């Protein structure tokens, strides 16, 4: 009876796996603060993506760690940059069997760790950054991305990327906006995963949202949709279920939630201590995110949950 009347059911089809691929390594590298998650080599990523397809996971979100970083993050649009090469590998290996999403930002590629160009005063220059995102979008689409996902929270980024994609004859490449993205301390382990330290103890409060604000998130989502976003995201997930729910009531496009690195790390740490039942808490957490309104969830739990749900 409980199964019959359940309002929300989590399935593997709801999950997107964030994955890291690193240039210049021969073996996958563990990430201490994300137990079970690794920085992949191109070869190990190809294998892992095959495993995801076998498990029924519909898509992945790709992040790259380049060997060299510079002031503008030029590896983000180098045709032979690590993410572009990995996209070509996966497209060649698996065709349309996996939705290939790529995070579109420059913070993994800049030597100062900011999501854009930094001006003489140390502030991120919003409008100068848009041109870089346009180049990265075209590079990712050319390499085989189905979905590009701008995560830098620059004003006007979705419109800029949409026009660049259309201008380069990629009208079918979708834009998933990290629309309601908060300046969050839950991203700590991710910074280790992508080897990013923001220069001078800086933060992203100048371009990501203040966690005290909720209405502002709705405005950000409306702006992204007006600019042509095909899907929108709320990030992080668990501390922002109210935002997710509000977004669900307001928009009818696909809505994503990102269960981020710190949320995963806390769950894993408590489970490793035997303080909680890891699988049960993971299932409850992801089901709650879906109940709040997400159509799909980016989560480092994707492969293990797929096994639990099988
Ligand atoms: C930016 C980006 C970040 C995350 C996804 N894309 C970090 C940031 O904004 O500082 C965080 C994801 C996570 O914590 O799991 N490229």
């Amino acid at each position: 009876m409980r199964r019959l009347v359940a309002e929300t059911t989590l399935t593997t089809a709801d999950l997107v796996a964030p994955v890291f691929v690193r240039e210049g390594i021969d073996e996958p590298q563990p990430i201490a603060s994300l137990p079970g998650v690794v920085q992949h080599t191109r070869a190990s990523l190809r294998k892992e993506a095959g495993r995801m397809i076998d498990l029924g996971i519909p898509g992945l979100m790709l992040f790259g760690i380049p060997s060299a970083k510079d002031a503008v993050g030029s590896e983000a649009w180098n045709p032979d940059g690590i993410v572009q090469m990995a996209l070509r590998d996966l497209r060649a290996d698996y065709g349309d069997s996996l939705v290939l999403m790529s995070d579109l930002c420059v913070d993994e590629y800049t030597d100062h760790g900011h999501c854009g160009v930094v001006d003489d005063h140390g502030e991120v220059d919003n409008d100068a950054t848009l041109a870089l995102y346009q180049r990265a979008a075209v590079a990712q689409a050319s390499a085989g991305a189905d979905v590009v996902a701008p995560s830098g929270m620059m004003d006007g980024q979705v419109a800029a990327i949409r026009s660049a994609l259309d201008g380069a004859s990629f009208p079918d490449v979708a834009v998933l906006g990290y629309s309601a993205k908060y300046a969050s301390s839950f991203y700590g382990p991710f910074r280790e995963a992508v080897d990013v330290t923001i220069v001078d103890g800086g933060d992203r409060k100048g371009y990501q949202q203040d966690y005290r604000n909720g209405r502002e998130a709705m405005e950000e989502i409306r702006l992204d949709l007006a600019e042509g976003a095909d899907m929108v995201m709320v990030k992080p997930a668990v501390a922002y279920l109210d935002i997710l729910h509000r977004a669900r009531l307001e928009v009818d496009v696909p809505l994503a939630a990102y269960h981020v690195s710190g949320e995963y790390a806390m769950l894993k740490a408590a489970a490793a201590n035997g303080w909680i039942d890891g699988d049960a808490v993971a299932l409850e957490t992801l089901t709650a995110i879906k109940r709040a309104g997400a159509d799909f969830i980016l989560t480092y739990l994707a492969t293990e949950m797929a096994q639990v749900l099988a």
Side-chain angles (χ1 to χ4, degrees):
M1 183 68 90
R2 283 165 64 83
R3 191 159 66 95
L4 184 67
V5 299
E7 297 172 23
T8 307
T9 306
L10 186 77
T11 76
T12 299
D14 302 321
L15 307 176
V16 170
V19 292
F20 303 102
V21 60
R22 178 167 193 162
E23 189 174 21
I25 53 170
D26 297 325
E27 291 296 326
Q29 304 292 315
I31 302 159
S33 55
L34 288 178
V37 182
V38 299
Q39 295 174 333
H40 280 286
T41 67
R42 281 172 66 187
S44 71
L45 179 62
R46 296 172 97 136
K47 241 174 97 186
E48 179 66 6
R51 204 177 132 237
M52 287 172 182
I53 293 168
D54 293 343
L55 285 166
I57 294 172
L60 54 74
M61 175 71 77
L62 196 55
F63 295 91
I65 305 111
S67 298
K69 306 192 185 209
D70 61 24
V72 291
S74 55
E75 284 299 302
W77 57 85
N78 176 359
D80 295 321
I82 183 65
V83 158
Q84 283 68 255
M85 291 196 293
L87 284 167
R88 281 197 293 271
D89 289 342
L90 299 178
R91 180 63 71 206
D93 288 352
Y94 303 116
D96 285 338
S97 311
L98 199 59
V99 179
L100 303 180
M101 305 187 180
S102 46
D103 184 84
L104 201 172
C105 193
V106 292
D107 63 321
E108 290 94 17
Y109 305 92
T110 54
D111 48 20
H112 45 72
H114 274 295
C115 295
V117 193
V118 176
D119 68 16
D120 297 343
H121 311 287
E123 298 290 336
V124 170
D125 183 335
N126 186 97
D127 293 1
T129 299
L130 298 181
L132 310 188
Y133 288 1
Q134 290 181 312
R135 297 172 76 170
V138 172
Q140 293 177 348
S142 304
D146 294 300
V147 180
V148 299
S151 62
M153 288 293 278
M154 295 301 132
D155 291 344
Q157 63 182 8
V158 171
I161 288 166
R162 183 71 269 158
S163 82
L165 290 172
D166 291 348
S169 300
F170 293 110
D172 296 337
V173 171
V175 177
L176 163 59
Y178 280 72
S179 306
K181 176 172 176 180
Y182 284 85
S184 171
S185 297
F186 284 101
Y187 308 151
F190 177 91
R191 304 259 165 91
E192 186 198 343
V194 292
D195 211 2
V196 168
T197 312
I198 306 176
V199 72
D200 296 332
D203 57 48
R204 307 209 193 291
K205 291 179 184 161
Y207 39 102
Q208 299 179 349
Q209 286 183 252
D210 186 329
Y211 57 73
R212 292 170 293 194
N213 292 352
R215 293 193 303 268
E216 183 183 47
M218 296 307 113
E219 190 61 13
E220 292 284 354
I221 287 170
R222 282 191 288 267
L223 284 166
D224 277 8
L225 289 174
E227 290 179 27
D230 300 283
M231 317 180 221
V232 294
M233 191 197 296
V234 173
K235 174 185 174 196
V238 179
Y240 299 86
L241 291 182
D242 59 326
I243 308 299
L244 195 58
H245 184 61
R246 277 160 86 160
R248 176 73 297 160
L249 295 178
E250 193 164 317
V251 307
D252 290 315
V253 297
L255 178 60
Y258 200 143
H259 183 247
V260 299
S261 58
E263 300 180 278
Y264 172 89
M266 293 191 321
L267 192 156
K268 285 290 168 185
N273 272 302
W275 294 340
I276 58 171
D277 175 340
D279 280 351
V281 171
L283 184 61
E284 183 175 335
T285 300
L286 298 180
T287 303
I289 295 169
K290 189 172 178 189
R291 189 193 66 231
D295 291 307
F296 61 95
I297 306 167
L298 287 86
T299 174
Y300 304 97
L301 295 162
T303 48
E304 54 187 286
M305 265 303 107
Q307 286 164 282
V308 168
L309 294 168

